[in-house]
Amino acid sequence: MNAMRHFDRLCNLSKFRLVFGQPCGLIHSRLIIASSISSRQNQSTSSAGISAAQDAATVAHNNPFRLVGPQLDTLIQDIHSELENHLEEDTNKELSSLAKYYFDGKGKALRPVIALCTAHAFNKHTNTSDPKVLENQRQVALISEMIHTASLVHDDILDHAETRRGKDSVNIRWNLQKSTMAGDYILAVGSKLLAKTNNPQVIEILSQVLSDLVEGEFMQLQNKEDESERFEHYLNKSFNKTASLMAYSCKANAVLAGATKQDVENSYQYGRNIGIAFQLVDDLLDFVSSADQLGKPAAADLHLGLATAPVLFAARVHPELNILIQRRFAEPGDVEKAFQLVLDSSGLQETKDLAGSHCLKAVTALEHLTESDYKAGMINLCHQVLNRLK
């Protein structure tokens, strides 16, 4: 079964669940696209139900989190060990506690799952089974989670966040100076682990992520006056802050698998597009999910003065939003007005559609990859990203 057909079957399964009143998440724009291009769009509900039941078993079998579960089981424990091993036992117990604070097993673990599925899929493609390659690929997954978590620490400091994953944020639990140093320490340990791969190409690839993260933060501080440039600026920022880590982790593990130049580029495109889709969905959920679901306050981006995809789409039909965007929603009532204008527009649906488009691009990048459970898991992951609730 090719990648596009498999993705269509996943979307038909979700459509079946919608018909019969079963929850399948808020984001189902891909279902609309799938229904228009699927050769089975005129099937009866009963035959669709039979097909969906068959597909459900395939979805469960190729669940990416299940596929790499054994390698994920000790991931957090291994990170804790690395963070502890680089400290003087008696003098830095507080730094150890601070650095491990967000490594509590409550995160999505999406980035290591993407990295590990990519590793296994490309190992199958290149017929690679070298234990050293497998070890380095898992290190890439571990490092990706460390870089991501360090970025969360720094984000919460810059944003003066109060909660993260339903508990006090690190900057509330400790002071700003100690929190900053903890984020730096996580990156330092991750960089040391990266050096231990002894692969200059992989080191260069993942080092780019750190550069992109800093550039993304600077972009977030900027506000484009030219309305025509805002969406491109937003997408570039989304790549730097979110998708870069996924794209380059995929690329690094494809390189380690010994993939061809074109296959390495395809792995990068998969990570880039699923990463942008993830951020688009994240920005959508800021408008439609509760604070309890998100583990952080709803409408957080508006309160931070950020115009994300739903707002930028809404501004095309509600030009009065441009004034609010320019002043970063700083005046009383700006946030509430912007929130309502987004709900009164097609901005949420357009954001769904754009996320679906990027997931299709991610799936297309896998077309020439050898069939395997892990390839199917990577395709399933696109579906999960589109339909997540938090």
Side-chain angles (χ1 to χ4, degrees), residues 293-314:
Q293 286 176 306
L294 294 174
K296 58 184 178 180
D301 291 328
L302 288 176
H303 285 287
L304 290 172
L306 303 178
T308 56
V311 179
L312 296 174
F313 278 125

Side-chain angles (χ1 to χ4, degrees), residues 159-216:
D159 298 342
H160 306 288
E162 297 182 356
T163 60
R164 168 74 64 180
R165 297 172 184 162
K167 64 181 182 181
D168 286 344
S169 59
V170 66
N171 49 294
I172 295 296
R173 182 78 177 268
W174 288 273
N175 63 37
L176 295 179
Q177 292 85 350
K178 290 179 178 179
S179 299
T180 301
M181 288 184 283
D184 293 345
Y185 174 68
I186 295 168
L187 287 177
V189 174
S191 297
K192 190 170 183 179
L193 295 176
L194 177 57
K196 287 182 177 180
T197 64
N198 291 318
N199 187 308
Q201 190 176 358
V202 169
I203 293 170
E204 182 179 358
I205 287 168
L206 288 182
S207 295
Q208 182 63 44
V209 176
L210 302 180
S211 175
D212 288 345
L213 282 170
V214 175
E215 185 177 357

Side-chain angles (χ1 to χ4, degrees), residues 223-233 312 315-316 318-323 325-326:
N223 202 1
K224 289 290 183 181
E225 292 187 14
D226 189 337
E227 297 167 13
S228 64
E229 296 178 359
R230 284 178 183 160
F231 210 95
E232 182 179 0
H233 181 82
L312 296 174
R316 295 175 179 178
H318 295 294
E320 60 267 38
L321 270 170
N322 288 312
I323 299 173
I325 293 170
Q326 189 59 39

Side-chain angles (χ1 to χ4, degrees), residues 61-253:
H61 177 72
N62 294 323
N63 183 314
F65 291 86
R66 185 196 66 80
L67 289 171
V68 299
Q71 292 176 287
L72 283 179
D73 286 344
T74 60
L75 187 80
I76 298 300
Q77 180 183 337
D78 291 345
I79 291 175
H80 282 198
S81 296
E82 293 292 347
L83 293 172
E84 292 167 354
N85 290 342
H86 292 80
L87 290 172
E88 293 293 333
E89 184 175 354
D90 296 329
T91 57
N92 289 303
K93 289 184 178 179
E94 186 178 21
L95 177 55
S96 176
S97 297
L98 216 160
K100 294 186 295 184
Y101 185 61
Y102 281 166
F103 295 107
D104 55 7
K106 295 181 181 178
K108 301 178 184 68
L110 177 67
R111 289 149 189 86
V113 168
I114 289 175
L116 288 169
C117 281
T118 300
H120 288 294
F122 278 83
N123 288 346
K124 173 74 172 179
H125 186 66
T126 61
N127 197 28
T128 298
S129 58
D130 184 342
K132 182 59 178 176
V133 169
L134 300 177
E135 179 185 345
N136 278 341
Q137 288 173 329
R138 187 175 184 275
Q139 284 292 84
V140 168
L142 187 146
I143 293 165
S144 72
E145 187 68 2
M146 295 182 76
I147 293 174
H148 168 60
T149 302
S151 75
L152 295 183
V153 172
H154 288 147
D155 277 351
D156 286 349
I157 293 167
L158 292 171
D159 298 342
H160 306 288
E162 297 182 356
T163 60
R164 168 74 64 180
R165 297 172 184 162
K167 64 181 182 181
D168 286 344
S169 59
V170 66
N171 49 294
I172 295 296
R173 182 78 177 268
W174 288 273
N175 63 37
L176 295 179
Q177 292 85 350
K178 290 179 178 179
S179 299
T180 301
M181 288 184 283
D184 293 345
Y185 174 68
I186 295 168
L187 287 177
V189 174
S191 297
K192 190 170 183 179
L193 295 176
L194 177 57
K196 287 182 177 180
T197 64
N198 291 318
N199 187 308
Q201 190 176 358
V202 169
I203 293 170
E204 182 179 358
I205 287 168
L206 288 182
S207 295
Q208 182 63 44
V209 176
L210 302 180
S211 175
D212 288 345
L213 282 170
V214 175
E215 185 177 357
E217 285 297 339
F218 267 82
M219 293 179 73
Q220 188 158 289
L221 296 173
Q222 300 168 349
N223 202 1
K224 289 290 183 181
E225 292 187 14
D226 189 337
E227 297 167 13
S228 64
E229 296 178 359
R230 284 178 183 160
F231 210 95
E232 182 179 0
H233 181 82
Y234 160 79
L235 289 176
N236 289 336
K237 181 198 72 175
S238 296
F239 171 80
N240 285 330
K241 284 179 61 67
T242 302
S244 170
L245 179 55
M246 300 181 192
Y248 287 115
S249 295
C250 290
K251 185 174 182 177
N253 274 348

